[in-house]
mmCIF file of all heavy atoms in Angstrom:
data_model
loop_
_atom_site.group_PDB
_atom_site.id
_atom_site.type_symbol
_atom_site.label_atom_id
_atom_site.label_comp_id
_atom_site.label_asym_id
_atom_site.label_seq_id
_atom_site.Cartn_x
_atom_site.Cartn_y
_atom_site.Cartn_z
ATOM 1 N N ASP A 119 15.084 39.836 -3.242
ATOM 2 C CA ASP A 119 15.026 40.807 -4.338
ATOM 3 C C ASP A 119 13.706 41.557 -4.380
ATOM 4 O O ASP A 119 13.363 42.176 -5.391
ATOM 5 C CB ASP A 119 15.288 40.114 -5.683
ATOM 6 C CG ASP A 119 14.221 39.086 -6.050
ATOM 7 O OD1 ASP A 119 13.353 38.807 -5.197
ATOM 8 O OD2 ASP A 119 14.257 38.589 -7.186
ATOM 9 N N LEU A 120 12.944 41.567 -3.298
ATOM 10 C CA LEU A 120 11.750 42.396 -3.247
ATOM 11 C C LEU A 120 12.157 43.865 -3.147
ATOM 12 O O LEU A 120 13.015 44.219 -2.335
ATOM 13 C CB LEU A 120 10.911 42.032 -2.017
ATOM 14 C CG LEU A 120 9.958 40.840 -2.127
ATOM 15 C CD1 LEU A 120 9.348 40.561 -0.757
ATOM 16 C CD2 LEU A 120 8.869 41.089 -3.134
ATOM 17 N N THR A 121 11.553 44.698 -3.950
ATOM 18 C CA THR A 121 11.791 46.135 -3.811
ATOM 19 C C THR A 121 10.963 46.670 -2.653
ATOM 20 O O THR A 121 9.961 46.063 -2.236
ATOM 21 C CB THR A 121 11.404 46.878 -5.091
ATOM 22 O OG1 THR A 121 9.985 46.782 -5.286
ATOM 23 C CG2 THR A 121 12.127 46.311 -6.292
ATOM 24 N N ASP A 122 11.361 47.816 -2.138
ATOM 25 C CA ASP A 122 10.585 48.443 -1.064
ATOM 26 C C ASP A 122 9.166 48.734 -1.519
ATOM 27 O O ASP A 122 8.205 48.599 -0.750
ATOM 28 C CB ASP A 122 11.269 49.728 -0.605
ATOM 29 C CG ASP A 122 12.543 49.480 0.166
ATOM 30 O OD1 ASP A 122 12.766 48.331 0.597
ATOM 31 O OD2 ASP A 122 13.340 50.430 0.331
ATOM 32 N N ALA A 123 9.014 49.154 -2.803
ATOM 33 C CA ALA A 123 7.686 49.476 -3.306
ATOM 34 C C ALA A 123 6.796 48.233 -3.379
ATOM 35 O O ALA A 123 5.621 48.271 -2.964
ATOM 36 C CB ALA A 123 7.809 50.108 -4.697
ATOM 37 N N ASP A 124 7.345 47.117 -3.852
ATOM 38 C CA ASP A 124 6.547 45.886 -3.912
ATOM 39 C C ASP A 124 6.225 45.380 -2.508
ATOM 40 O O ASP A 124 5.112 44.895 -2.243
ATOM 41 C CB ASP A 124 7.314 44.809 -4.683
ATOM 42 C CG ASP A 124 7.242 45.017 -6.197
ATOM 43 O OD1 ASP A 124 6.461 45.889 -6.633
ATOM 44 O OD2 ASP A 124 7.963 44.307 -6.921
ATOM 45 N N LEU A 125 7.182 45.481 -1.594
ATOM 46 C CA LEU A 125 6.943 45.047 -0.223
ATOM 47 C C LEU A 125 5.815 45.874 0.405
ATOM 48 O O LEU A 125 4.941 45.331 1.099
ATOM 49 C CB LEU A 125 8.233 45.178 0.588
ATOM 50 C CG LEU A 125 8.227 44.608 2.008
ATOM 51 C CD1 LEU A 125 7.884 43.130 1.998
ATOM 52 C CD2 LEU A 125 9.587 44.830 2.647
ATOM 53 N N ALA A 126 5.804 47.178 0.144
ATOM 54 C CA ALA A 126 4.759 48.039 0.698
ATOM 55 C C ALA A 126 3.392 47.656 0.150
ATOM 56 O O ALA A 126 2.381 47.664 0.870
ATOM 57 C CB ALA A 126 5.065 49.502 0.365
ATOM 58 N N VAL A 127 3.327 47.291 -1.133
ATOM 59 C CA VAL A 127 2.048 46.865 -1.717
ATOM 60 C C VAL A 127 1.553 45.581 -1.065
ATOM 61 O O VAL A 127 0.376 45.456 -0.710
ATOM 62 C CB VAL A 127 2.185 46.693 -3.244
ATOM 63 C CG1 VAL A 127 0.954 46.010 -3.824
ATOM 64 C CG2 VAL A 127 2.420 48.035 -3.925
ATOM 65 N N LEU A 128 2.445 44.615 -0.882
ATOM 66 C CA LEU A 128 2.047 43.347 -0.255
ATOM 67 C C LEU A 128 1.530 43.567 1.157
ATOM 68 O O LEU A 128 0.519 42.974 1.564
ATOM 69 C CB LEU A 128 3.226 42.387 -0.266
ATOM 70 C CG LEU A 128 3.732 41.932 -1.636
ATOM 71 C CD1 LEU A 128 4.963 41.054 -1.484
ATOM 72 C CD2 LEU A 128 2.652 41.197 -2.411
ATOM 73 N N VAL A 129 2.225 44.406 1.913
ATOM 74 C CA VAL A 129 1.785 44.701 3.284
ATOM 75 C C VAL A 129 0.404 45.359 3.270
ATOM 76 O O VAL A 129 -0.498 44.981 4.028
ATOM 77 C CB VAL A 129 2.798 45.602 4.010
ATOM 78 C CG1 VAL A 129 2.216 46.160 5.306
ATOM 79 C CG2 VAL A 129 4.080 44.845 4.295
ATOM 80 N N ALA A 130 0.219 46.341 2.396
ATOM 81 C CA ALA A 130 -1.066 47.040 2.325
ATOM 82 C C ALA A 130 -2.202 46.091 1.948
ATOM 83 O O ALA A 130 -3.323 46.213 2.483
ATOM 84 C CB ALA A 130 -0.977 48.193 1.313
ATOM 85 N N GLU A 131 -1.945 45.155 1.045
ATOM 86 C CA GLU A 131 -2.997 44.202 0.653
ATOM 87 C C GLU A 131 -3.367 43.285 1.816
ATOM 88 O O GLU A 131 -4.555 43.002 2.028
ATOM 89 C CB GLU A 131 -2.508 43.397 -0.545
ATOM 90 C CG GLU A 131 -2.423 44.214 -1.831
ATOM 91 C CD GLU A 131 -1.786 43.457 -2.988
ATOM 92 O OE1 GLU A 131 -1.112 42.444 -2.755
ATOM 93 O OE2 GLU A 131 -1.981 43.907 -4.140
ATOM 94 N N ILE A 132 -2.394 42.834 2.581
ATOM 95 C CA ILE A 132 -2.694 41.985 3.735
ATOM 96 C C ILE A 132 -3.494 42.767 4.772
ATOM 97 O O ILE A 132 -4.506 42.290 5.312
ATOM 98 C CB ILE A 132 -1.400 41.427 4.349
ATOM 99 C CG1 ILE A 132 -0.733 40.457 3.390
ATOM 100 C CG2 ILE A 132 -1.689 40.751 5.683
ATOM 101 C CD1 ILE A 132 0.662 40.031 3.817
ATOM 102 N N VAL A 133 -3.038 43.992 5.058
ATOM 103 C CA VAL A 133 -3.754 44.820 6.057
ATOM 104 C C VAL A 133 -5.185 45.077 5.633
ATOM 105 O O VAL A 133 -6.112 45.068 6.456
ATOM 106 C CB VAL A 133 -2.978 46.135 6.272
ATOM 107 C CG1 VAL A 133 -3.799 47.108 7.105
ATOM 108 C CG2 VAL A 133 -1.645 45.879 6.940
ATOM 109 N N ALA A 134 -5.400 45.296 4.336
ATOM 110 C CA ALA A 134 -6.741 45.607 3.847
ATOM 111 C C ALA A 134 -7.662 44.395 3.855
ATOM 112 O O ALA A 134 -8.876 44.539 4.088
ATOM 113 C CB ALA A 134 -6.653 46.178 2.435
ATOM 114 N N ASP A 135 -7.124 43.204 3.615
ATOM 115 C CA ASP A 135 -7.992 42.045 3.339
ATOM 116 C C ASP A 135 -8.083 41.020 4.449
ATOM 117 O O ASP A 135 -9.029 40.216 4.470
ATOM 118 C CB ASP A 135 -7.501 41.338 2.069
ATOM 119 C CG ASP A 135 -7.709 42.183 0.815
ATOM 120 O OD1 ASP A 135 -8.346 43.241 0.928
ATOM 121 O OD2 ASP A 135 -7.196 41.795 -0.248
ATOM 122 N N VAL A 136 -7.134 40.958 5.372
ATOM 123 C CA VAL A 136 -7.150 39.920 6.407
ATOM 124 C C VAL A 136 -7.908 40.419 7.648
ATOM 125 O O VAL A 136 -7.632 41.510 8.156
ATOM 126 C CB VAL A 136 -5.714 39.490 6.796
ATOM 127 C CG1 VAL A 136 -5.739 38.569 8.005
ATOM 128 C CG2 VAL A 136 -5.032 38.807 5.614
ATOM 129 N N ARG A 137 -8.830 39.621 8.106
ATOM 130 C CA ARG A 137 -9.545 39.892 9.344
ATOM 131 C C ARG A 137 -9.503 38.638 10.210
ATOM 132 O O ARG A 137 -9.716 37.523 9.722
ATOM 133 C CB ARG A 137 -11.001 40.267 9.070
ATOM 134 C CG ARG A 137 -11.157 41.596 8.327
ATOM 135 C CD ARG A 137 -10.721 42.772 9.186
ATOM 136 N NE ARG A 137 -10.841 44.044 8.470
ATOM 137 C CZ ARG A 137 -9.891 44.589 7.738
ATOM 138 N NH1 ARG A 137 -8.711 43.962 7.599
ATOM 139 N NH2 ARG A 137 -10.069 45.746 7.143
ATOM 140 N N LEU A 138 -9.238 38.819 11.499
ATOM 141 C CA LEU A 138 -9.125 37.711 12.420
ATOM 142 C C LEU A 138 -10.304 37.702 13.380
ATOM 143 O O LEU A 138 -10.905 38.747 13.655
ATOM 144 C CB LEU A 138 -7.811 37.807 13.205
ATOM 145 C CG LEU A 138 -6.540 37.814 12.357
ATOM 146 C CD1 LEU A 138 -5.315 38.107 13.222
ATOM 147 C CD2 LEU A 138 -6.369 36.495 11.625
ATOM 148 N N GLY A 139 -10.614 36.530 13.907
ATOM 149 C CA GLY A 139 -11.734 36.391 14.815
ATOM 150 C C GLY A 139 -11.371 36.661 16.258
ATOM 151 O O GLY A 139 -10.227 36.965 16.603
ATOM 152 N N ASP A 140 -12.359 36.549 17.153
ATOM 153 C CA ASP A 140 -12.193 36.644 18.591
ATOM 154 C C ASP A 140 -11.599 37.963 19.045
ATOM 155 O O ASP A 140 -10.860 38.034 20.043
ATOM 156 C CB ASP A 140 -11.314 35.495 19.107
ATOM 157 C CG ASP A 140 -11.974 34.145 18.933
ATOM 158 O OD1 ASP A 140 -13.222 34.091 18.971
ATOM 159 O OD2 ASP A 140 -11.247 33.161 18.760
ATOM 160 N N GLY A 141 -11.873 39.039 18.312
ATOM 161 C CA GLY A 141 -11.408 40.346 18.752
ATOM 162 C C GLY A 141 -9.909 40.553 18.650
ATOM 163 O O GLY A 141 -9.362 41.439 19.308
ATOM 164 N N VAL A 142 -9.231 39.756 17.841
ATOM 165 C CA VAL A 142 -7.775 39.896 17.690
ATOM 166 C C VAL A 142 -7.480 40.892 16.558
ATOM 167 O O VAL A 142 -8.031 40.787 15.465
ATOM 168 C CB VAL A 142 -7.112 38.543 17.374
ATOM 169 C CG1 VAL A 142 -5.615 38.729 17.124
ATOM 170 C CG2 VAL A 142 -7.336 37.570 18.521
ATOM 171 N N ARG A 143 -6.622 41.855 16.840
ATOM 172 C CA ARG A 143 -6.189 42.825 15.850
ATOM 173 C C ARG A 143 -4.714 42.578 15.525
ATOM 174 O O ARG A 143 -3.991 42.013 16.333
ATOM 175 C CB ARG A 143 -6.356 44.250 16.394
ATOM 176 C CG ARG A 143 -7.804 44.591 16.764
ATOM 177 C CD ARG A 143 -7.911 45.966 17.395
ATOM 178 N NE ARG A 143 -7.104 46.068 18.601
ATOM 179 C CZ ARG A 143 -7.477 45.636 19.787
ATOM 180 N NH1 ARG A 143 -8.650 45.024 19.944
ATOM 181 N NH2 ARG A 143 -6.686 45.779 20.839
ATOM 182 N N PHE A 144 -4.284 43.025 14.364
ATOM 183 C CA PHE A 144 -2.865 42.860 14.017
ATOM 184 C C PHE A 144 -2.341 44.147 13.392
ATOM 185 O O PHE A 144 -3.078 44.948 12.827
ATOM 186 C CB PHE A 144 -2.660 41.671 13.072
ATOM 187 C CG PHE A 144 -3.092 41.901 11.656
ATOM 188 C CD1 PHE A 144 -2.203 42.425 10.713
ATOM 189 C CD2 PHE A 144 -4.380 41.596 11.248
ATOM 190 C CE1 PHE A 144 -2.613 42.637 9.396
ATOM 191 C CE2 PHE A 144 -4.790 41.809 9.951
ATOM 192 C CZ PHE A 144 -3.908 42.324 9.012
ATOM 193 N N GLU A 145 -1.040 44.323 13.506
ATOM 194 C CA GLU A 145 -0.321 45.394 12.830
ATOM 195 C C GLU A 145 0.877 44.751 12.148
ATOM 196 O O GLU A 145 1.497 43.818 12.678
ATOM 197 C CB GLU A 145 0.118 46.450 13.821
ATOM 198 C CG GLU A 145 -1.051 47.191 14.446
ATOM 199 C CD GLU A 145 -0.597 48.320 15.357
ATOM 200 O OE1 GLU A 145 -0.389 49.443 14.864
ATOM 201 O OE2 GLU A 145 -0.484 48.052 16.571
ATOM 202 N N LEU A 146 1.197 45.250 10.960
ATOM 203 C CA LEU A 146 2.203 44.616 10.112
ATOM 204 C C LEU A 146 3.017 45.674 9.395
ATOM 205 O O LEU A 146 2.477 46.698 8.950
ATOM 206 C CB LEU A 146 1.498 43.709 9.081
ATOM 207 C CG LEU A 146 2.364 43.018 8.024
ATOM 208 C CD1 LEU A 146 3.235 41.948 8.653
ATOM 209 C CD2 LEU A 146 1.462 42.417 6.940
ATOM 210 N N THR A 147 4.308 45.445 9.290
ATOM 211 C CA THR A 147 5.165 46.288 8.462
ATOM 212 C C THR A 147 6.185 45.414 7.764
ATOM 213 O O THR A 147 6.461 44.290 8.200
ATOM 214 C CB THR A 147 5.876 47.366 9.301
ATOM 215 O OG1 THR A 147 6.506 48.310 8.417
ATOM 216 C CG2 THR A 147 6.950 46.765 10.200
ATOM 217 N N GLY A 148 6.736 45.925 6.663
ATOM 218 C CA GLY A 148 7.831 45.250 5.979
ATOM 219 C C GLY A 148 9.002 46.208 5.832
ATOM 220 O O GLY A 148 8.825 47.428 5.794
ATOM 221 N N PHE A 149 10.213 45.676 5.805
ATOM 222 C CA PHE A 149 11.389 46.526 5.608
ATOM 223 C C PHE A 149 12.534 45.644 5.107
ATOM 224 O O PHE A 149 12.549 44.427 5.301
ATOM 225 C CB PHE A 149 11.790 47.230 6.897
ATOM 226 C CG PHE A 149 12.227 46.317 8.021
ATOM 227 C CD1 PHE A 149 13.574 46.018 8.200
ATOM 228 C CD2 PHE A 149 11.322 45.743 8.874
ATOM 229 C CE1 PHE A 149 13.992 45.163 9.213
ATOM 230 C CE2 PHE A 149 11.718 44.886 9.885
ATOM 231 C CZ PHE A 149 13.066 44.601 10.061
ATOM 232 N N GLY A 150 13.502 46.288 4.471
ATOM 233 C CA GLY A 150 14.733 45.582 4.101
ATOM 234 C C GLY A 150 14.506 44.392 3.191
ATOM 235 O O GLY A 150 15.026 43.312 3.436
ATOM 236 N N ARG A 151 13.703 44.577 2.128
ATOM 237 C CA ARG A 151 13.483 43.584 1.078
ATOM 238 C C ARG A 151 12.586 42.442 1.513
ATOM 239 O O ARG A 151 11.501 42.297 0.950
ATOM 240 C CB ARG A 151 14.818 43.071 0.527
ATOM 241 C CG ARG A 151 15.561 44.138 -0.266
ATOM 242 C CD ARG A 151 16.863 43.621 -0.798
ATOM 243 N NE ARG A 151 17.887 43.543 0.219
ATOM 244 C CZ ARG A 151 19.152 43.246 -0.021
ATOM 245 N NH1 ARG A 151 19.540 42.953 -1.247
ATOM 246 N NH2 ARG A 151 20.036 43.223 0.955
ATOM 247 N N HIS A 152 12.982 41.616 2.465
ATOM 248 C CA HIS A 152 12.171 40.442 2.784
ATOM 249 C C HIS A 152 11.738 40.395 4.235
ATOM 250 O O HIS A 152 11.048 39.459 4.637
ATOM 251 C CB HIS A 152 12.965 39.167 2.478
ATOM 252 C CG HIS A 152 14.211 39.039 3.280
ATOM 253 N ND1 HIS A 152 15.390 39.660 2.924
ATOM 254 C CD2 HIS A 152 14.457 38.397 4.452
ATOM 255 C CE1 HIS A 152 16.321 39.395 3.825
ATOM 256 N NE2 HIS A 152 15.784 38.639 4.769
ATOM 257 N N ARG A 153 12.111 41.396 5.028
ATOM 258 C CA ARG A 153 11.874 41.331 6.463
ATOM 259 C C ARG A 153 10.593 42.058 6.844
ATOM 260 O O ARG A 153 10.096 42.903 6.126
ATOM 261 C CB ARG A 153 13.061 41.942 7.226
ATOM 262 C CG ARG A 153 14.412 41.344 6.871
ATOM 263 C CD ARG A 153 15.527 42.120 7.525
ATOM 264 N NE ARG A 153 16.850 41.610 7.169
ATOM 265 C CZ ARG A 153 17.563 42.021 6.142
ATOM 266 N NH1 ARG A 153 17.075 42.975 5.356
ATOM 267 N NH2 ARG A 153 18.754 41.518 5.883
#
Side-chain angles (χ1 to χ4, degrees):
D119 65 352
L120 277 173
T121 66
D122 289 345
D124 282 350
L125 188 57
V127 170
L128 295 176
V129 168
E131 290 173 342
I132 293 171
V133 170
D135 292 352
V136 171
R137 294 293 179 269
L138 301 173
D140 294 330
V142 176
R143 301 175 301 279
F144 75 90
E145 294 183 87
L146 176 69
T147 190
F149 64 94
R151 291 180 284 186
H152 62 277
R153 306 173 182 90

